[in-house]
């Protein structure tokens, strides 16, 4: 179970009275209690006897398996049946009643309770356990609870509990909270390191380390941490072939596993059997697995990172943090002294990050943003969040909600958005369900809406067989187990029985290809896909995906992709679930997804502009028709688009233009007191409409574009007084004492270069100064044949040192030219030595 030792022996026991006293004075407490302190069990167990708590206690656990087992343990300690005084509520499963006083909740359940009852009627205490894990739902739940406490319920008590406060900004959102610290309770854990030589074979190496550890330590069970279900299943197969099943029991443990299988992994091993638990990070905290004395840590986790450009989550294998490694190792010392082997080097351990990133920085925020809109905010920044969310991810989420008409342009939630939120599923699926009900009502076809419920259940199912990407193969499978319960809930919530008799099994068997495609297109309009190449597809959002060549859907011209994932190192995402799509639907049920627009472009072969009317689904082109009478603005837009694509070099953007850019850039750097415009390439490309478009009235070809005088266009961006000031501060030429007027070359390194024959620089005491003396000119001294001899920005030092070496080398090569012993005080000349002397 969750905690074997009696609660009176736990370190948290010493804090029960101080904690109770703290809540008599204030309603916010932060509790730091390391692994083994008993904060998840002994503390809420004791609170049930606090006379001052009249209402219900809610405790948020980040993980479902921990929530169920914490509730089981506390109920057993109270001697009550689970679901009476003590209960739990997780997504798809609950055991609560009118008598429940302590309710363990998770997976956004708390957030929904708050949204449906902003006063949290009848609830006195909200406990946030393991808040250091920084799950998205935990961060949002805490923010909403703090909002409630500020606005409606000053008497509401909030307890934030964490194994560590390192890097956790709780004091920022709870500045007045009382801080209490508890000792941990764990036995010594002996650490060792066993780095794998070849990372591609780390799973095989892990199997060998596990077997060696079991042989070395003859008692106790073993807990192995792996990044995901796939690795667990592969390692299970390796160990199953090498371990004696009469002596060892191999138990997987991950979130989508059935409750029965999870209980088996957590329960004590049978007499005479040693248990090997293969777990994801669900076993990192809140959960004590009976009999564990050994931990083998792969050091990996599978991190989901949302890509706002493609609207999909990329899974990648990442190293865990030092904090996570400490939590994992601590599992070996919960009940007695233990051993931990880490499959990386001690040196690498020191390079691991201190703590994991909060989910809010890299996760899909669509559901969270809909929660925010339902609460009444127009930005998540309006809530007391522990960490600000990713700006790009939040922006994408608001845009998608607007596309689905769940919020309006002002980010106010619509009736459609409220109805979607009430369904309690991903907003995409909620949109599909509501659209399906509307179509079913209009057409008196209840089966269409029922099919939407089955598809939603299929997509939300945590357990699915492997039958390829065709989603139609999984519909009857979804009508079993946990997903069936959820499907029937949606049928009831949508009141489909009012439209007719619902036979889900018949609906699943008779579902047509077109119906499935239409429904999925409601949820994933950005993932309509057109074939390109052999197995590749272009999505409407512009990204690419691919099917396995042997998949039954391979060869389909069009798809709607319901589930795909990007993987690090791959240019295209892999399709996991999809449906074949008939493009004829774009002229029928899916016509609202088609947009018509006029597009102007450039024909590279002919070097001329063209225009056409296009019909598109997202970024996928359906059809194109030439436009005869072309609007001049369309031409200008196309020219600008082409310049942005190919760069300013497409025009007559010559060296003079570049020199002007460099000069203005230096003027902005050294003389910012003048109002210099920005003339860098990026700014010019961003402002083409301002400085170039007025001169494009007669331009229809590349040849005409290249006839434009770009230098004059750029120079005109500077008022007359700034042009004069620029010539004064950073001139184009520099007069020499010989009468020569030498060009100054400016470059992208911020230098001003003056290339001059050495004899003409004689008598110059130092390098010229520009920009009010702030920029030293770099002198490139040339031979009489105009070949470089030296490059210096300190002419005085050159005359005193390196010049001697140059003089010795050049005097014999150019004997007719002047190489004086005192160059700084010698009259400069443009001529040979003989002609110079004769003219003096």
């Amino acid at each position: 179970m969750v905690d074997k030792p009696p609660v009176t022996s736990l370190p948290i026991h010493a804090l029960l009275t101080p904690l109770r006293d703290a809540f008599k004075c204030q309603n916010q407490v932060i509790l730091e209690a390391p692994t083994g302190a008993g904060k998840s069990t002994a503390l809420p167990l004791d609170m049930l006897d606090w006379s001052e708590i009249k209402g219900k206690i809610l405790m948020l656990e980040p993980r479902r398996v921990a929530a169920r087992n914490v509730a089981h343990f506390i109920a057993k300690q109270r001697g009550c049946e689970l679901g009476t005084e003590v209960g739990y509520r997780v997504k798809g499963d609950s055991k609560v009643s009118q008598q429940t006083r302590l309710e363990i909740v998770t997976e956004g359940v708390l957030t929904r309770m708050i949204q449906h009852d902003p006063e949290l009627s009848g609830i006195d205490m909200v406990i946030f356990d393991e808040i250091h894990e920084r799950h998205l739902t935990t961060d949002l739940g805490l923010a909403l609870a703090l909002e409630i406490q500020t606005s409606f319920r000053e008497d509401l008590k909030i307890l934030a509990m964490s194994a560590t406060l390192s890097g956790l900004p709780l004091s920022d959102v709870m500045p007045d909270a009382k801080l209490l610290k508890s000792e941990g309770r764990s036995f010594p854990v002996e650490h060792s390191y066993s780095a794998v030589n070849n990372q591609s074979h780390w799973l095989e190496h892990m199997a060998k380390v596990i077997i060696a550890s079991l042989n070395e330590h003859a008692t106790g069970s073993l807990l192995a941490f792996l990044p995901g279900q796939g690795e667990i299943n592969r390692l299970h197969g390796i160990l199953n072939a090498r371990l004696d099943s009469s002596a060892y029991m191999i138990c997987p443990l991950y979130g989508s596993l059935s409750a029965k299988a999870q209980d088996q992994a957590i329960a004590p091993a049978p007499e005479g059997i040693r248990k090997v638990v293969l777990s994801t990070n669900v076993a990192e905290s809140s959960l004590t697995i009976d009999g564990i004395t050994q931990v083998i840590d792969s050091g990996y986790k599978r991190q989901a990172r949302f890509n706002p450009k493609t609207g999909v989550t990329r899974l990648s294998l990442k190293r865990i943090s030092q904090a996570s490694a400490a939590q994992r190792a601590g599992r070996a010392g919960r009940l007695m002294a233990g051993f931990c082997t880490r499959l990386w080097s001690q040196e690498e351990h020191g390079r691991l990050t201190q703590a994991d990133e909060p989910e809010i920085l890299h996760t899909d925020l669509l559901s969270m943003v809909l929660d925010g809109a339902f609460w009444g905010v127009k930005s998540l920044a309006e809530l007391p969040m522990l960490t600000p969310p990713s700006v790009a991810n939040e922006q994408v989420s608001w845009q998608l909600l607007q596309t689905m008409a769940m919020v309006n342009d002002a980010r106010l939630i619509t009736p459609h958005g409220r109805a979607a939120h009430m369904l309690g599923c991903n907003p995409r699926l909620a949109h599909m369900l509501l659209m399906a009900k509307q179509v079913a009502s209009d057409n008196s076809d209840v089966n269409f809406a029922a099919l939407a419920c089955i598809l939603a259940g299929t997509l939300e199912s945590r357990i699915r067989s492997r039958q390829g990407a065709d989603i139609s193969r999984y519909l009857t499978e979804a009508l079993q187990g946990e997903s069936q319960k959820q499907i029937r809930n949606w049928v009831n919530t949508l009141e489909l029985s009012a439209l007719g008799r619902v036979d889900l099994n018949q609906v699943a068997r008779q579902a047509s290809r077109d119906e499935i495609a239409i429904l999925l297109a409601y949820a994933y309009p950005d993932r309509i896909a057109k074939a390109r190449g052999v197995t590749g597809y272009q999505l409407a959002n512009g990204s690419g995906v691919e099917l396995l060549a042997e998949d039954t859907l391979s060869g389909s011209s069009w798809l709607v992709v319901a589930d795909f994932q990007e993987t690090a190192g791959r240019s295209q995402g892999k399709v996991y679930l999809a449906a074949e799509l008939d493009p004829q639907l774009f002229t029928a049920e899916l016509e609202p997804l088609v947009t018509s627009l006029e597009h102007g472009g450039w024909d590279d072969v002919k070097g001329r502009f063209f225009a056409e009317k296009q019909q598109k689904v997202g970024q996928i082109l359906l059809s194109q028709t030439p436009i005869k009478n072309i609007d001049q603005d369309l031409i200008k837009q196309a020219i600008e688009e082409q310049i942005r694509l190919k760069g300013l070099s497409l025009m007559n953007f010559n060296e003079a233009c570049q020199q002007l850019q460099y000069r203005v850039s230096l003027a902005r750097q050294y003389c910012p007191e003048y109002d210099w415009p920005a003339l860098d390439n990026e700014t010019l490309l961003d402002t083409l409409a301002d400085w170039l478009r007025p001169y494009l009235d007669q331009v229809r070809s590349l040849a005409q574009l290249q006839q434009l005088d770009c230098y004059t266009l750029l120079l005109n961006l500077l008022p007359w007084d700034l042009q004069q000031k620029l010539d004064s501060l950073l001139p184009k030429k520099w007069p020499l004492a010989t009468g020569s007027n030498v060009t100054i070359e400016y470059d992208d390194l911020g230098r001003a270069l003056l290339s001059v024959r050495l004899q003409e620089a004689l008598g110059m005491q130092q390098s010229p100064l520009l920009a009010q003396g702030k920029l030293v000119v770099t002198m490139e001294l040339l031979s009489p044949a105009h070949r470089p001899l030296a490059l210096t920005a300190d002419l005085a030092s050159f005359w005193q040192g390196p010049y001697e070496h140059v003089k010795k080398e050049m005097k014999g090569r150019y004997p007719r030219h002047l190489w004086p012993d005192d160059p700084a005080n010698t009259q400069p000349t443009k001529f040979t030595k003989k002609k110079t002397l004769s003219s003096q």
Side-chain angles (χ1 to χ4, degrees):
M1 294 300 290
V2 174
D3 246 321
K4 193 172 184 179
V7 293
T8 53
S9 68
L10 296 171
I12 199 70
H13 188 76
L15 276 184
L16 295 178
T17 299
L19 182 65
R20 189 172 183 178
D21 291 340
F23 273 119
K24 290 176 181 177
C25 304
Q26 58 196 108
N27 289 327
Q28 290 183 359
V29 175
I30 298 171
L31 174 62
E32 184 177 30
T35 297
K39 63 182 182 298
S40 304
T41 52
L43 179 54
L45 180 62
D46 191 73
M47 283 182 173
L48 285 170
D49 293 324
W50 289 9
S51 58
E52 60 269 28
I53 297 182
K54 307 295 185 184
K56 183 184 290 187
I57 301 169
L58 288 183
M59 185 163 80
L60 178 71
E61 282 292 339
R63 305 180 190 279
R64 296 199 302 175
V65 59
R68 289 193 307 104
N69 282 277
V70 166
H72 273 285
F73 175 78
I74 297 175
K76 184 176 180 180
Q77 293 292 313
R78 292 292 287 184
C80 68
E81 186 179 341
L82 186 64
T84 54
E85 186 182 34
V86 179
Y88 69 85
R89 195 196 309 250
V90 301
K91 188 174 183 180
D93 185 20
S94 66
K95 286 193 180 297
V96 294
S97 66
Q98 292 290 330
Q99 292 76 41
T100 302
R101 294 186 54 232
L102 171 63
E103 190 172 322
I104 319 296
V105 300
T106 188
E107 299 216 0
V109 173
L110 173 63
T111 300
R112 303 199 68 78
M113 293 174 72
I114 291 173
Q115 295 275 29
H116 295 156
D117 179 12
E119 294 187 8
L120 285 181
S121 305
I123 295 170
D124 281 7
M125 170 81 72
V126 180
I127 304 171
F128 292 86
D129 193 17
E130 308 296 357
I131 204 166
H132 64 275
E133 293 191 12
R134 300 304 310 277
H135 292 282
L136 199 64
T137 50
T138 308
D139 279 16
L140 180 60
L142 177 62
L144 295 182
L146 291 172
E147 285 262 294
I148 286 175
Q149 195 180 55
T150 302
S151 306
F152 309 113
R153 290 282 310 280
E154 292 183 3
D155 63 314
L156 181 68
K157 295 175 174 59
I158 296 177
L159 173 61
M161 304 196 301
S162 177
T164 174
L165 295 180
S166 176
L168 188 62
L170 271 173
S171 58
D172 292 347
V173 295
M174 302 171 68
D176 301 322
K178 175 74 174 177
L179 175 60
L180 296 175
K181 293 188 178 183
S182 169
E183 297 296 325
R185 196 213 61 154
S186 60
F187 293 88
V189 175
E190 182 181 321
H191 294 83
S192 62
Y193 295 84
S194 178
V196 58
N197 294 326
N198 187 340
Q199 287 298 330
S200 62
H201 298 143
W202 69 267
L203 209 56
E204 178 68 28
H205 175 70
M206 189 171 190
K208 293 177 181 177
V209 172
I210 288 173
I211 293 171
S213 184
L214 289 170
N215 291 334
E216 181 181 352
H217 308 291
T219 60
S221 292
L222 182 146
L223 171 61
F225 282 100
L226 293 106
Q229 181 181 340
E231 291 82 5
I232 287 175
N233 290 336
R234 289 198 294 275
L235 185 58
H236 189 293
I238 297 172
L239 294 176
N240 205 42
R242 301 181 188 180
L243 292 176
D244 183 357
S245 59
S246 65
Y248 299 99
M249 181 171 68
I250 305 172
C251 300
L253 180 60
Y254 46 86
S256 62
L257 206 60
S258 68
K260 183 179 180 181
Q262 289 177 353
D263 291 342
Q264 184 183 44
I266 296 165
E271 189 70 28
I273 300 288
R274 296 174 70 187
K275 193 163 54 174
V276 178
V277 180
L278 309 180
S279 177
T280 61
N281 54 8
V282 299
E284 267 189 26
S285 55
S286 296
L287 199 65
T288 297
I289 302 174
D290 206 292
I292 297 296
T293 59
Q294 302 169 58
V295 165
I296 309 296
D297 188 359
S298 70
Y300 287 119
K301 65 177 179 179
R302 181 152 281 107
Q303 186 176 71
R305 188 172 291 274
F306 180 73
N307 183 348
K309 292 183 179 179
T310 60
V312 76
T313 297
R314 168 177 289 181
L315 288 178
S316 57
L317 210 59
K318 297 286 187 181
R319 277 296 187 197
I320 60 174
S321 65
Q322 291 185 26
S324 183
Q327 286 283 330
R328 291 182 176 189
R331 300 293 97 187
R334 290 297 296 270
L335 306 177
M336 62 190 75
F339 307 89
C340 173
T341 302
R342 291 167 170 165
L343 302 190
W344 62 94
S345 68
Q346 193 165 2
E347 178 191 10
E348 186 180 358
H349 184 76
R351 298 197 302 267
L352 298 179
T353 58
Q354 292 293 317
D356 292 323
E357 274 190 335
E359 283 187 354
I360 198 168
L361 294 178
H362 53 73
T363 302
D364 182 2
L365 300 177
L366 185 62
S367 294
M368 189 181 202
V369 167
L370 182 58
D371 272 317
F374 192 89
W375 190 250
V377 300
K378 298 178 181 179
S379 167
L380 295 179
E382 297 176 30
L383 296 171
M385 305 299 300
L386 279 170
T387 302
S390 159
V391 174
N393 293 4
E394 182 178 352
Q395 179 65 26
V396 165
S397 297
W398 283 110
Q399 288 174 350
L400 184 55
L401 290 182
Q402 287 180 23
T403 300
M404 295 188 295
M406 292 186 184
V407 298
N408 61 22
D409 292 344
R411 293 187 174 180
L412 297 175
I413 195 163
T414 63
H416 181 64
R418 289 188 176 278
H421 186 271
M422 298 297 289
L423 289 174
C425 56
N426 183 282
R428 287 180 180 267
L429 299 184
H431 179 66
M432 176 183 72
L433 291 168
L434 294 173
M435 290 291 291
K437 182 184 178 181
Q438 182 60 53
V439 172
S441 299
D442 294 342
N443 299 331
S444 301
D445 181 10
V446 67
N447 288 349
F448 187 70
L451 177 58
C453 296
I454 297 172
L455 283 170
T458 303
L459 291 165
E460 284 216 334
S461 176
R462 296 164 68 92
I463 304 173
R464 190 184 303 130
S465 62
R466 295 185 178 182
Q467 302 181 58
D470 189 348
I471 196 171
S472 66
R473 297 187 171 199
Y474 302 94
L475 301 184
T476 55
E477 185 178 289
L479 295 174
Q480 303 168 21
E482 187 178 305
S483 57
Q484 179 192 34
K485 182 179 178 182
Q486 181 60 72
I487 290 168
R488 295 196 179 279
N489 285 340
W490 284 322
V491 169
N492 293 332
T493 302
L494 293 172
E495 299 178 338
L496 298 188
S497 58
L499 302 178
R501 180 176 173 273
V502 178
D503 185 336
L504 292 173
N505 287 291
Q506 180 180 331
V507 169
R509 289 192 305 269
Q510 297 180 354
S512 72
R513 181 192 69 177
D514 286 354
E515 287 176 328
I516 294 173
I518 292 167
L519 288 167
L520 291 183
Y522 290 155
Y524 305 102
D526 51 332
R527 298 186 193 172
I528 289 172
K530 184 180 182 181
R532 64 179 182 189
V534 180
T535 59
Y537 288 83
Q538 180 197 351
L539 297 183
N541 64 22
S543 56
V545 296
E546 61 183 357
L547 273 171
L548 294 176
E550 64 271 18
D551 195 277
T552 55
L553 287 178
S554 182
S556 301
S557 299
W558 289 82
L559 298 175
V560 184
V561 178
D563 183 23
F564 81 98
Q565 287 180 347
E566 295 178 329
T567 306
R570 295 179 60 133
S571 59
Q572 297 195 106
K574 181 181 177 182
V575 175
Y576 288 102
L577 284 178
E580 188 174 3
L581 172 70
D582 183 350
Q584 295 297 321
L585 292 172
F586 295 129
T587 60
E589 287 87 348
L590 297 183
E591 187 177 9
L593 300 181
V594 179
T595 56
S596 296
L597 68 157
E598 291 187 348
H599 170 73
W602 206 270
D603 188 325
D604 286 328
V605 177
K606 296 180 180 179
R608 293 188 62 83
F609 167 81
F610 70 91
E612 60 190 18
K613 186 172 184 178
Q614 296 182 342
Q615 286 198 309
K616 302 177 82 174
V617 174
Q619 295 185 35
I620 299 176
L621 183 65
L622 294 177
S623 64
Q624 53 200 120
T625 307
I627 299 174
K628 295 181 180 180
N629 298 319
I630 305 173
D631 182 79
Q632 188 64 39
D633 283 339
L634 198 60
I635 298 177
K636 293 181 179 180
Q637 289 172 21
I639 293 172
E640 291 169 17
E641 182 181 329
Q642 193 70 5
I643 293 172
R644 290 190 186 97
L645 180 66
K646 296 188 176 179
L648 295 166
S649 59
L650 195 65
M651 304 184 292
N652 182 26
F653 205 84
N654 53 24
E655 178 65 21
C657 296
Q658 203 166 58
Q659 285 295 304
L660 181 58
Q661 284 182 302
Y662 293 149
R663 291 168 68 206
V664 171
S665 177
L666 288 169
R668 287 166 60 87
Q669 178 182 346
Y670 290 111
C671 305
E673 64 271 21
Y674 301 103
D675 191 18
W676 304 103
L679 295 185
D680 58 279
N681 285 1
E682 185 177 352
T683 301
L684 290 177
L685 289 172
D686 287 343
T687 58
L688 287 172
D690 299 326
W691 66 272
L692 181 62
R693 183 177 292 186
Y695 303 95
L696 296 178
D697 287 341
Q698 304 304 318
V699 175
R700 286 177 173 264
S701 68
L702 184 60
Q704 290 173 325
L705 179 64
Q706 291 175 339
Q707 289 172 8
L708 292 177
D709 182 358
C710 287
Y711 176 78
T712 300
L713 297 185
L714 294 189
L715 188 63
N716 288 342
L717 293 176
L718 277 70
W720 174 253
D721 60 328
L722 281 187
Q723 293 181 29
Q724 301 301 109
K725 182 61 68 176
L726 185 65
D727 287 341
S728 170
L729 295 170
L730 296 156
K732 290 187 284 187
K733 293 184 177 293
W734 186 262
L736 297 176
T738 60
S740 297
N741 216 15
V742 184
T743 299
I744 299 175
E745 296 281 346
Y746 298 88
D747 66 15
D748 58 354
L749 298 177
R751 298 182 303 180
L753 297 171
L754 191 64
S755 296
V756 60
R757 286 190 301 173
L758 184 145
Q759 283 72 23
E760 289 199 73
L762 295 172
M764 292 179 68
Q765 298 293 323
Q766 63 180 16
S767 302
L769 299 175
L770 307 179
Q772 300 172 341
K774 299 172 186 175
L775 176 64
V776 181
V777 172
T778 298
M779 302 285 292
E780 185 183 42
L781 300 174
L782 308 175
S783 73
H786 292 275
R787 293 190 176 93
L789 297 176
L791 191 70
T792 179
D794 188 350
L795 194 58
S797 295
F798 173 77
W799 292 140
Q800 294 173 11
Y803 170 73
E804 280 301 315
H805 175 74
V806 172
K807 182 179 75 170
K808 289 178 183 178
E809 186 176 339
M810 294 292 109
K811 197 170 185 179
R813 187 175 298 180
Y814 300 102
R816 298 169 54 198
H817 290 78
L818 197 61
W819 302 98
D821 294 332
D822 186 11
N825 295 299
T826 300
Q827 190 74 19
T829 179
K830 293 194 291 185
F831 309 114
T832 62
K833 184 165 51 176
K834 179 179 179 181
K835 189 172 181 179
T836 300
L837 292 174
S838 65
S839 65
Q840 291 179 349

